[in-house]
Amino acid sequence: MSTINERDRYWLQMAADLSLAAIEQNCGGPFAAVVVCENEFVASGQNQVLELNDPTAHAEMQAIRAASHKLQRFDLSDCVIYSSCEPCPMCLSAIYWSRIPKLVYANSGADARAIGFDDVWIAENLCQPLPLQPIQSERIPIESATQAFKLWQQKTDKIMY
């Protein structure tokens, strides 16, 4: 049983409303997301895959990019993301990378699959070792790439993320 509070419901409704607008704007799929910090609106994003010809322009990705830009930081560990749908593997990874600790979503992944957005095969393949995935891959060690890692490891003023 869900224990959604009224603040969560408010922000989730905003994401849902933006997903409806995305359909009218025909910029991509019916998805939107909102990033909130300390119960204040930070940024939103709509699916813009078609508009930008960018397969990574999913709603959550766009909202995270906009929030990071607005807040001038990559660590969003004090934020919450509200999404009109359960995130795909790429977007969920971005939520992890941005350190957002809370996700609230409306539609499920099964709901997305029912309307033609099926990312189950991506999630299943990501669990496999790279050589077993359907994307052809080959490792070719290059000294300059190894050197870059060595230099990074020795760097005293690096910022980890």
Side-chain angles (χ1 to χ4, degrees):
M1 186 161 100
S2 177
T3 58
I4 192 167
N5 63 47
E6 288 307 310
R7 285 182 301 192
D8 286 340
R9 185 173 300 283
Y10 174 82
W11 297 116
L12 189 57
Q13 185 64 57
M14 180 182 286
D17 291 344
L18 288 169
S19 72
L20 289 169
I23 295 169
E24 293 174 12
Q25 295 163 3
N26 205 30
C27 56
F31 307 101
V34 174
V35 174
V36 174
C37 185
E38 298 177 6
N39 205 38
E40 295 288 327
F41 174 84
V42 176
S44 64
Q46 293 168 289
N47 184 293
Q48 294 178 280
V49 169
L50 300 177
E51 179 182 10
L52 300 177
N53 289 312
D54 179 351
T56 70
H58 290 198
E60 296 89 347
M61 300 291 286
Q62 298 298 81
I64 290 168
R65 288 172 180 146
S68 293
H69 180 75
K70 182 175 181 179
L71 296 174
Q72 292 297 293
R73 55 190 167 95
F74 57 84
D75 184 333
L76 303 179
S77 59
D78 56 347
C79 297
V80 178
I81 190 164
Y82 298 88
S83 180
S84 63
C85 187
E86 182 178 347
C88 74
M90 174 184 64
C91 293
L92 187 58
S93 295
I95 292 167
Y96 275 103
W97 274 111
S98 62
R99 309 290 193 262
I100 295 174
K102 183 177 178 181
L103 159 69
V104 180
Y105 62 94
N107 294 316
S108 70
D111 296 330
R113 282 189 294 284
I115 63 166
F117 293 92
D118 188 358
D119 57 28
V120 169
W121 69 273
I122 296 172
E124 289 172 349
N125 280 300
L126 288 175
C127 294
Q128 299 296 321
L130 195 53
L132 298 178
Q133 294 184 21
I135 295 173
Q136 182 180 348
S137 63
E138 179 181 357
R139 178 172 185 249
I140 301 174
I142 295 178
E143 182 55 38
S144 57
T146 303
Q147 182 64 22
F149 273 29
K150 288 178 183 176
L151 289 173
W152 176 259
Q153 189 174 25
Q154 296 167 358
K155 191 172 170 57
T156 58
D157 61 344
K158 62 186 168 213
I159 299 173
M160 296 303 295
Y161 57 92

